[in-house]
């Protein structure tokens, strides 16, 4: 029995994307951390990425890392989200490399690592302008030096940054050089070499252009590998496949209706005020999928002539007037998804997952 909505996942395409990104990284001495948070740390996808050239697996959630590790998916594992105080015990036992941005977090991890006799590597995050996590770059050298010198059981192995997440700041030669200058100052004082974890999918552009400064030697990539897209850079990555994950949803109503509602208007179910353009009567379908499963504005129909109009919790309305296809109840419509939409679909308990048969 087919169950809908469902995600059809092409492991071959994900493997091939991983291989391509890994090759680009390895050619320039960059370690690749493949990021699993977008796919709810699905262990089949995680294994595929790890065995297709990724050097490590990264996730933002301890639950995901514990699940993968206990499911026998080989690490090493990097924790991407700066940890909560309440999860440090788990971090020390299950993680190999952790991103931090607070001295007190580093000290507490240090104490726990001593207690559990675990080797843990710490990367200190620097904010080069995006305004999410990390010590502000102008204060970074002092703070990081102080932390590195106080650690006894864990080792500060490098610095890292995140861009394109809050401020939408793009990775550039300039902000990568800010990071590299901090690295050099730290190395002079510490007398050992530091890693530089330079970014995510959006930073692949610098690798392609050949403009990435020497010395950035770790990339953490999720979206590019899994969807072949770059949301921050607003592009399909030309040498990667976008046919990796497809959402399939089922038609439950086919009808002609006016394009403007009839009656007195309030807000929609989510407090939004919808706007309507009068286009006369339209042919439309309702799909059994909604805000609980997807982000409707991130759905990209795979066939021509379809326009997603709106979704409430459980119903998605699609205008099919411009399509040549005859729709009937029970038909399946297929979509590609944006990052945000795929994130919601993978994390929704209502969406089935199936691996494409070859
Ligand atoms: C999610 C995340 C990444 C991966 O980002 P993509 O855009 O999916 O490549 C990298 N670093 C951190 C800190 C993250 O949280």
């Amino acid at each position: 029995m087919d169950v809908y909505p469902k995600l059809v996942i092409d492991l071959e395409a994900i493997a091939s994307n991983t291989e391509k990104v890994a090759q680009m990284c390895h050619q320039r001495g960059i370690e690749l951390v493949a990021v699993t948070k977008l796919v709810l740390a699905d262990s089949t996808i995680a294994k595929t990425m790890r065995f297709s050239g990724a050097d490590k697996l990264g996730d933002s959630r301890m639950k995901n890392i514990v699940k993968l590790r206990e499911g026998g998916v080989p690490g090493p594992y990097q924790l991407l989200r700066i940890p909560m105080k309440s999860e440090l015990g788990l971090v020390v036992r299950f993680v190999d490399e952790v991103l931090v941005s607070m001295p007190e977090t580093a000290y507490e991890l240090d104490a726990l690592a001593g207690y559990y006799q675990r080797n843990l590597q710490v990367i200190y995050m620097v904010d080069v302008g995006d305004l999410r996590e990390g010590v502000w770059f102008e204060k970074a050298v002092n703070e990081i030096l102080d932390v590195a010198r106080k650690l006894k059981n864990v080792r500060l192995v490098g610095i890292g940054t995140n861009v394109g997440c809050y401020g939408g700041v793009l990775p550039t030669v300039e902000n990568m050089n800010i990071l590299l200058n901090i690295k050099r100052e730290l190395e002079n004082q510490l007398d050992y070499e530091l890693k530089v974890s330079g970014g995510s999918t959006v930073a692949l552009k610098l690798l392609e252009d050949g403009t990435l400064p020497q010395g950035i030697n770790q990339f953490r990539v999720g979206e590019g590998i899994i969807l072949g897209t770059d949301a921050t850079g607003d592009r399909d990555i030309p040498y990667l496949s976008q046919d990796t994950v497809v959402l399939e949803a089922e038609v439950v109503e086919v009808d002609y209706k006016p394009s403007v509602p009839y009656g007195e208007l309030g807000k929609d179910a989510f407090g939004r005020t919808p706007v309507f353009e009068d286009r006369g009567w339209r042919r439309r379908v309702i799909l059994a999928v909604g805000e609980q499963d997807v982000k409707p504005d991130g759905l990209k129909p795979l066939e021509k002539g379809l326009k997603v109009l709106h979704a409430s919790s459980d119903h998605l309305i699609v205008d099919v007037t411009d399509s040549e296809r005859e729709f009937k109840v029970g038909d399946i419509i297929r979509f590609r998804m944006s990052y945000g939409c795929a994130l919601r679909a993978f994390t929704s308990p209502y969406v089935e997952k199936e691996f494409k048969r070859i």
Side-chain angles (χ1 to χ4, degrees):
M1 258 292 283
D2 274 331
V3 181
Y4 297 96
K6 79 170 154 207
L7 292 168
V8 181
I9 301 156
D10 185 339
L11 285 175
E12 298 256 320
I14 292 175
S16 152
N17 282 356
T18 312
E19 281 164 15
K20 285 181 185 148
V21 174
Q23 196 189 10
M24 273 175 52
C25 287
H26 294 160
Q27 270 169 3
R28 294 179 183 75
I30 297 168
E31 174 185 61
L32 173 64
V33 181
V35 174
T36 52
K37 68 186 186 211
L38 169 61
V39 295
L40 194 64
D42 178 275
S43 59
T44 308
I45 299 176
K47 264 188 222 154
T48 300
M49 295 196 294
R50 184 68 181 89
F51 293 142
S52 304
D55 304 292
K56 281 187 182 144
L57 295 174
D59 204 286
S60 47
R61 309 263 172 168
M62 276 314 301
K63 269 196 180 170
N64 287 349
I65 291 179
V66 170
K67 179 184 86 175
L68 288 174
R69 190 137 248 173
E70 291 191 330
V73 181
Y77 285 96
Q78 183 186 67
L79 178 63
L80 296 168
R81 184 171 64 190
I82 46 173
M84 294 183 267
K85 198 177 162 77
S86 56
E87 67 186 355
L88 296 182
L90 276 181
V91 174
V92 167
R93 279 175 290 160
F94 286 91
V95 170
D96 304 290
E97 189 169 86
V98 56
L99 310 182
V100 304
S101 70
M102 296 291 292
E104 62 204 83
T105 306
Y107 300 145
E108 196 147 341
L109 282 170
D110 194 46
L112 285 164
Y115 178 77
Y116 285 107
Q117 294 292 298
R118 274 264 338 199
N119 214 345
L120 179 69
Q121 309 207 313
V122 173
I123 292 185
Y124 213 91
M125 295 300 275
V126 177
D127 184 349
V128 295
D130 192 53
L131 304 182
R132 204 176 76 178
E133 76 274 41
V135 51
W136 187 249
F137 66 93
E138 291 162 312
K139 303 188 293 185
V141 173
N142 288 341
E143 182 169 315
I144 297 173
L145 262 185
D146 194 40
V147 171
R149 286 180 170 143
K150 285 186 182 140
L151 296 177
K152 292 198 273 304
N153 304 302
V154 304
R155 191 169 161 86
L156 193 136
V157 296
I159 57 174
T161 198
N162 194 71
V163 286
C165 276
Y166 175 62
V169 168
L170 293 168
T172 55
V173 174
E174 289 72 37
N175 53 32
M176 291 294 128
N177 274 327
I178 292 180
L179 207 57
L180 288 167
N181 287 334
I182 294 169
K183 163 199 150 88
R184 278 188 284 271
E185 280 193 56
L186 290 170
E187 283 178 345
N188 286 340
Q189 305 274 337
L190 291 172
D191 265 343
Y192 63 87
E193 268 186 50
L194 292 172
K195 279 198 225 188
V196 184
S197 188
S200 53
T201 295
V202 65
L204 290 173
K205 193 79 175 57
L206 297 180
L207 255 186
E208 295 160 29
D209 299 345
T211 54
L212 186 79
Q214 266 302 321
I216 305 287
N217 50 17
Q218 184 185 75
F219 268 39
R220 313 173 305 263
V221 181
E223 183 190 359
I225 291 174
I226 294 159
L227 298 175
T229 55
D230 168 6
T232 308
D234 191 23
R235 61 174 187 144
D236 287 350
I237 301 174
Y239 51 91
L240 298 179
S241 167
Q242 289 79 43
D243 296 317
T244 45
V245 187
V246 169
L247 177 90
E248 297 187 351
E250 185 173 336
V251 173
V252 289
E253 180 183 300
V254 185
D255 208 348
Y256 274 94
K257 287 188 187 174
S259 42
V260 176
Y262 174 78
E264 233 174 276
L265 297 191
K267 297 202 184 249
D268 79 356
F270 290 86
R272 304 169 291 207
T273 308
V275 259
F276 300 93
E277 184 196 344
D278 192 352
R279 307 178 71 197
W281 282 62
R282 305 289 291 177
R283 188 163 68 108
R284 10 159 296 159
V285 301
I286 296 179
L287 296 172
V289 66
E291 291 274 1
Q292 299 200 70
D293 320 283
V294 293
K295 216 169 150 280
D297 61 6
L299 285 172
K300 308 169 213 176
L302 277 170
E303 59 192 289
K304 277 200 211 118
L306 270 54
K307 188 168 185 295
V308 173
L309 292 179
H310 188 261
S312 47
S313 314
D314 310 291
H315 301 75
L316 181 82
I317 308 170
V318 181
D319 186 316
V320 297
T321 314
D322 298 332
S323 167
E324 280 163 18
R325 182 170 158 192
E326 279 302 322
F327 286 96
K328 56 184 190 310
V329 167
D331 279 356
I332 302 302
I333 297 182
R334 303 166 73 233
F335 301 88
R336 257 186 214 151
M337 292 167 292
S338 69
Y339 181 83
C341 185
L343 181 70
R344 195 174 294 173
F346 270 103
T347 50
S348 168
Y350 302 106
V351 181
E352 294 296 316
K353 287 165 202 146
E354 181 182 294
F355 294 101
K356 189 171 165 180
R357 278 163 287 234
I358 324 152

